[in-house]
Amino acid sequence: MNNKVIDLNFAKKLRESILSNEKDNSNINIQKEIYSMPMNLIINFHIDLAHLALGLTLNKDLKDVMLNDLIMILNRMSDIAIFLDIDLIAEVQEIQVTAPEVILNSLFNNVSMLNYKKTTSRIKMINRIMPLFVELVYSLGFTTDELEEAHHKNMDNNILELEQGIWKN
């Protein structure tokens, strides 16, 4: 079986640049001295996984909604990668598409186990969560290239809206 290297660092780099411009990014960057994962990062990851799971239940054919949910999950993974100081690069076996619900269940379980020491969390992210996420992307009918393109388009739209003042209170 062939292995494929998947590099999702584009998302981590964008998140780092956004967080460096924000005034309050303490929930990720300042807590680097902590020895275990902050619960808010794990809970936010669970929320985004649950959102995708709910979307799959309600509307299986809305590809743009699923792609947007994948982008949100990727952003959560980026936040965790920033905290753990790891790259979002994983070597995965040739993708065998499994039912998305099965992969989501496995992701929920693995994300729950991120509350241990940083070293354990790093291994869990690289060896289990990253490959499962890539498998999820493929099981939903997307490629990692499509995910990257949609991620860049999403970020460009967010920046444009921010510059136009759409997000002002």
Side-chain angles (χ1 to χ4, degrees):
M1 210 179 249
N2 293 334
N3 285 352
K4 183 177 181 182
V5 174
I6 303 293
D7 184 345
L8 300 175
N9 268 333
F10 65 88
K12 180 184 170 199
K13 289 174 183 152
L14 271 170
R15 290 294 287 174
E16 283 175 323
S17 69
I18 289 168
L19 291 170
S20 68
N21 293 329
E22 286 184 10
K23 290 180 178 125
D24 181 29
N25 56 13
S26 58
N27 59 337
I28 297 171
N29 291 342
I30 295 178
Q31 297 183 356
K32 290 198 178 196
E33 300 78 37
I34 298 176
Y35 297 107
S36 62
M37 181 77 59
M39 245 357 244
N40 65 323
L41 291 178
I42 295 170
I43 290 169
N44 288 338
F45 200 151
H46 274 130
I47 289 168
D48 288 333
L49 287 172
H51 195 267
L52 176 62
L54 180 62
L56 282 173
T57 305
L58 298 177
N59 46 5
K60 290 180 184 269
D61 58 341
L62 291 179
K63 292 282 190 186
D64 56 333
V65 173
M66 286 190 292
L67 195 53
N68 197 46
D69 287 345
L70 287 171
I71 290 168
M72 294 304 296
I73 293 167
L74 181 56
N75 285 338
R76 295 298 174 216
M77 287 174 48
S78 298
D79 292 346
I80 291 171
I82 291 166
F83 175 80
L84 293 174
D85 196 26
I86 59 171
D87 285 326
L88 284 178
I89 298 175
E91 193 170 319
V92 296
Q93 291 182 348
E94 215 167 276
I95 304 300
Q96 295 180 353
V97 178
T98 310
E101 295 81 4
V102 173
I103 301 167
L104 277 167
N105 190 38
S106 189
L107 272 168
F108 273 111
N109 290 334
N110 280 281
V111 169
S112 295
M113 291 185 236
L114 285 175
N115 63 346
Y116 300 110
K117 290 186 281 187
K118 278 184 170 181
T119 308
T120 309
S121 296
R122 286 182 181 110
I123 293 167
K124 181 69 64 186
M125 275 296 291
I126 293 167
N127 294 341
R128 291 295 300 145
I129 294 172
M130 282 271 311
L132 282 168
F133 176 74
V134 172
E135 190 176 353
L136 180 62
V137 170
Y138 281 97
S139 74
L140 292 173
F142 300 106
T143 66
T144 51
D145 290 337
E146 289 173 315
L147 178 66
E148 183 173 358
E149 183 181 319
H151 189 273
H152 287 300
K153 186 188 280 186
N154 183 295
M155 286 304 176
D156 290 346
N157 285 343
N158 289 350
I159 291 167
L160 183 63
E161 289 175 1
L162 193 60
E163 288 172 350
Q164 292 174 347
I166 293 172
W167 289 5
K168 287 185 180 169
N169 293 338

